[in-house]
Structures are given as structure tokens and as C-alpha cells.
């Protein structure tokens, strides 16, 4: 179902002590949020068990930052969807641009990871987005169209309906540059059109230097259903203020 959702992507940051403090502050402040918004944090794998325990019975869900395409077996270093579900995770990010770029993940692999996540009982947060070069050469929509096409053909409508899409322009991630609300809306609207019959049931998040100061403007756009937040999710006040802006 199309719900408002704000997800923190901690990336490779934190420690046991820092996480405990950050979550404690998020939990205290999240009590004042309206119940129209769902919250999640995607922590590094090694901390997920303790993160999920601290978040138990709270309104903040836990998620992984990636998931294996495989179910089990001889895949050193990989983490399966069932393992994440076993740790009480609800979400797994797939296809983040940092994985597409540094780990050479293809559109097909990302789509297959999304399927693994669904089959393991998780909601995949499927990231799509264009590079600066692609935006400047006016290929944004065709690049995103191809990324989505792979997802559609592997998941079908049934799988898409169980997914969340995150539009993250690569040039806006961690750079302090944000797409203007109009630039973001143009792509979000395009993504929604591509989702076909399930379009109205799928949440589409925006990601890329989202902070409390720009969240409201972004969320005022018709097809923006929340945010995938990197840097600002390492600060409880910022993260909760972003959720408040929804
Ligand atoms: P950022 O990261 O908010 O730090 O730009 C977003 C993301 O990579 O998901």
C-alpha cells in the first residue's frame, strides 16, 4: 500500500555505543509524530540484531542495506533475506548507487535481489537514479526506465506491489546538492507511470541530501511519498524533523 515512509541509511557508520544513543533519541522523539508516517533505519549488518532489539515494539522498523540474491549456501560474506527476516528486519535496500557503482551491480542483479527480499518476507527498497553525466545528456528518464524495466520483468505487478522505490539522483547523494522539488517530481511522476496497474499502491521515496531544511518542499510534491536519508539520518533531531515534514 502507498504509505508515507522515511528511511535512514546509515551506510558504513556507527558503533554499538553510538547506535544505542542515536536510537534512544530517535525513539523518544518519534513519540510525537503523527501515525501517517512509517519509519525505518537500515544499519550495517553486524549491528542489526541489537538495533532490532532496541527498536522492538516501537514504530521504527529495522532494515538491511543490501541482501544476497541467493537463498543459502557457499556465498562467503553474503547475507540472505531469511537471515534479515530472522533478525526482525522489515526492509532491505537493493540497488543503492554505491553498490551499483563500487560493486558493479547490474540492473538484472538488483531486480533479482529485490525478488529474493520479497521471497524472504522483506520489503525491498529499490533504488534507481541517474548520474550527473546522464542528467546533463538528457538521458535521465531512459536510464531510469531501463532500471525499472529490469525490476518489472523480474518482479511482475505482484512483486512491485510489495516493493518501495527510491529515486536517488547519484549527483545528489552525499554532495549537498538536492534535486529541486520540480526535478524530483518529474522523475517520480515518470516512475509512477511506469509502475502500471499497481502505481497507486507503491511508495516512491526521494533520496539525495535530504535534510530537515529541504524536506517539506520535496514532500509537497504529488508523487513523493517520503525519503531515503543518508547523512542526516545519523542525527536524531534531523531525522525526526524530516519525518515531521511529511
Ligand atoms: P545522503 O544519502 O542523504 O547522504 O545524500 C542518501 C542515500 O545515499 O541514500
Amino acid at each position: 500500500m502507498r504509505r508515507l515512509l522515511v528511511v535512514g541509511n546509515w551506510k558504513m557508520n556507527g558503533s554499538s555505543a553510538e547506535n544505542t544513543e542515536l536510537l534512544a533519541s530517535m525513539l523518544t522523539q518519534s513519540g510525537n509524530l503523527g501515525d501517517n508516517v512509517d519509519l525505518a533505519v537500515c544499519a550495517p549488518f553486524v549491528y542489526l540484531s541489537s538495533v532490532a532489539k532496541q527498536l522492538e515494539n516501537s514504530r521504527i522498523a529495522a532494515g538491511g542495506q543490501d541482501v544476497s540474491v541467493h537463498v543459502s549456501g557457499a556465498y562467503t560474506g553474503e547475507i540472505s533475506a531469511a537471515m534479515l527476516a530472522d533478525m526482525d528486519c522489515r526492509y532491505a535496500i537493493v540497488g543503492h548507487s554505491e553498490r551499483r557503482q563500487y560493486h558493479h551491480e547490474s540492473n538484472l542483479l538488483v531486480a533479482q535481489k529485490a525478488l529474493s527480499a520479497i521471497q524472504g518476507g522483506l520489503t525491498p527498497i529499490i533504488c534507481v537514479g541517474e548520474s550527473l553525466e546522464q542528467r546533463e545528456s538528457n538521458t535521465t528518464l531512459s536510464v531510469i526506465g531501463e532500471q525499472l524495466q529490469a525490476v518489472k520483468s523480474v518482479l511482475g505487478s505482484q512483486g512491485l506491489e510489495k516493493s518501495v522505490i527510491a529515486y536517488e539522483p547519484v549527483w545528489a547523494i552525499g554532495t549537498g546538492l538536492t534535486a529541486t522539488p520540480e526535478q524530483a517530481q518529474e522523475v517520480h511522476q515518470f516512475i509512477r507511470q511506469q509502475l502500471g496497474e499497481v502505481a497507486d499502491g507503491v511508495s516512491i521515496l526521494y533520496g539525495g541530501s535530504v535534510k530537515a531544511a529541504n524536506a517539506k518542499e520535496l514532500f509537497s510534491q504529488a508523487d513523493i511519498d517520503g525519503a531515503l536519508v543518508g547523512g542526516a539520518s545519523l542525527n536524531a533531531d534531523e531525522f525526526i524533523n524530516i519525518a515531521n515534514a511529511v
Side-chain angles (χ1 to χ4, degrees), residues 115-129:
L115 182 62
S116 286
I118 292 169
Q119 287 173 339
L122 305 171
T123 299
I125 299 170
I126 306 167
C127 301
V128 297

Side-chain angles (χ1 to χ4, degrees), residues 9 11 96 98 168 172-175 207-210 228-232:
N9 173 11
K11 308 192 181 184
H96 190 281
E98 287 151 16
E168 298 206 308
I173 296 177
T175 58
S209 301
V210 176
L228 181 56
V229 185

Side-chain angles (χ1 to χ4, degrees), residues 202-221:
V202 178
S203 300
I204 308 175
L205 313 183
Y206 171 80
S209 301
V210 176
K211 28 189 184 300
N214 58 25
K216 213 179 184 87
E217 257 194 309
L218 287 161
F219 297 155
S220 68
Q221 300 297 313

